Amino acid sequence: MEDMKKFGDSDLMATQKRQGWQRSPTMKEQLDALLRELSNGAMLHKIKGGGILYTRQFFLDSKSLKLSYTGSQRRFRKKSTSWALSSIEEIREGEKDYAKRLDHHDRGKAFCVVFGSNHDVLYLLAPNYDIRDKWVKGMRYALQLNQFLKQKETDKFWICEAFDRADKNADERLDFEEVMTLLKSLNADMDRGYVREMFNAADCRRVKGEKPTLDRGEFVQFYTVLTERPEVEELYVKYAKDVGYMTSSDLQMFLTQDQKETDVTIERCKEIIVVYEPQPEMKKAEKMSLIGFRCFLVSQQQHLFNRSHRRVYQDMTQPMTNYFMNSSHNTYLAEDQLKGPSRVECYISALKRGCRCVELDCWDGNDGEPVIYHGYTLTSKILFLDVIKAVKDYAFVTSPYPVTLSIENHCSIEQQNKMAEFMVEVFGDMLHYYDSLPEVAPSPHELKNKILVKGKKLKITAEQPDADEEVTDEDESADANDNVQQQKKKEKKLKLSKKLSQIVGMTSVHFTNTQEIPSGKGKFTVVSLVEKKISKLLDSEIDAVSRYTRSVLIRTYPDGTRTNSSNYNPVPMWCGGCQVVALNFQTGGEEMQLLHGRFLDNGNSGYVLKPPCLQSDEGFMAVMGTKPCIGKRLIIQVISGFQLPKPKDSKKGEIIDPFLKVEIHGVQRDSQGKKTAVVKNNGFKPVWNERLLFDIEVPELALVRFVVYDSDRYVDDFIGYYVVPVNSIVEGYRHFPLFDKNGDQYEQALVFVHVKVEDLPPQQTH
């Protein structure tokens, strides 16, 4: 026995080494080794349009977390192009090439690097299958690592900011009362005894006789412990059992059983542990601690919104009539419709938020320069040229799919010519138009990175090929505002310049009725209907409206009586098949929140494919309720909230009493809402643990709106919202963020739920 004790670990390892035995490297060691290999570089081929190959040497820098390449030839090797990993959205195998770029190559050797929300794609071809697989695996690991580091730093930075706000005397330390004041400002009304216990435990450098305080590092540790969440710990213990940690097998079981994920491999679970486990020893042993599990559970990977829907996953090659389009009304206005300012920045903001159709009300300006403003009002004026320059710069920052300029034209022939000249000069090859209109509407894919002008089109005849002519005036202000009706009676016709007509890519036509498709059936045409008119049509002949939208775009816009820039409910228009439902982007509220949620889908590309139920008469019978359909039962267990903010106008020092309301917005018979009980004096970590059940007949058209309120005796105060399409919800234990009334995301606020989705038996016809 003594001999065995003397035979130590080092002797055992030496013996094993002599015998040729080596332990298997851990998953982290394997992945780190792969990163080092990729940092040395490899020759890959860039695939350009037409399948042309350019050989370049690519590197994955494991220190700076950048992807870069240099030229293959000696004279180009000093030139380098690089991308930060934070700009990369996804690594996609060549087998999933939706743009058909790889048709001439072996897809098994290819992969795609998808960049950010603008969805630019770098197509690469490896020399063999093994090298392709190494790059796909290594890049995905690097992206996960980058995301975790970013989240970790964000959380730490936020806590340090809170520390600085509380450190009134700037001595780099907080005493107990300062911490209690800070917690109250963070909406945490916590037991003083419990906080005192945590505070004393965190004060590592306390000197006897001195007042206890926390420095910045101690406060970060204190805050981390204080924000532990029992409801997450309970879930963790279910899988960690008695050993106090989760293995990759435990994590696989959690993802498969509770999160309802498919194709979850042990290897993927090991990668998750490597990325989210903060403790080096646990990571090395391929084990996940409670802290690591908590980090993973709040990550975007595990959010309520299906992560695969964060990219463009729908077929983008169908005619544009088959898509909902993110659209803005009177885009130039920053406030009301009568005397508020017009701003170029409003176009930039709308485009960055994913808007794909912006409106320009064009009028004659001084010095021959056309201007944009709300006619017959006191709103300020901005130059047309300034607007289109901004559109050029920001059109494709968020999405590569086409942007439409909805032109409301009130200009003279001279200034119309100026508009046309400006657009040709500024947009160049971006501007897309036709000599003769297509028989079928083009697809968003065909028109990637193109700008379309929506407006009237002249009928060119052999007798008068170069003549300007009068066309019907499609003036929204006249249709929508009784105050200007009399004045507009004199302006029923507008003279249209040939120059402007020539660059129109989407033709505006006058609406007569739902039975009369505009002449040249199937051509790329759009009608504009004010909300009152489309609402009447939907009430009386919704099936005919839906049929009409299969070949013609319908654009809807707010009534002119909405002088305060309020909005109408967009959901009934979408349910009727209307594609271009334009809202006032400057006004936050329920309507814009629903638009936000609708277009989260399909990678926030601004285009969402209409569901099959809107694409045929038979499908639409399910929408009408005249045909049995298979609906969904949505069971939501509202568990808890985390760091819910106060209403911006709340009284100083007041702790909120939060409750959560869940609403379904879809076809009329699916509309419903339920709410939890109120949790008194706890916005920091409120726990509800309430089950809400919703039966939804047409889930393809339904949105779920979550709203957190602060309960009040008179009027409940809005705190934040989250809207998600029913078909983008994933099952299991999920978090979702909150947005303020202007659509900006709160940094730390989360709501924790468990979701289960069941099929309903076919419903009886109505």
Side-chain angles (χ1 to χ4, degrees), residues 133 321 445:
D133 291 344
T321 46
H445 177 74

Side-chain angles (χ1 to χ4, degrees), residues 70 128 176 294 366 411 431 444 490 565 637 682 687:
T70 59
N128 57 55
F176 179 73
R294 200 166 63 202
N366 298 328
C411 292
L431 191 61
K490 303 173 186 177
S565 296
Q637 182 81 13
N682 192 348
V687 175

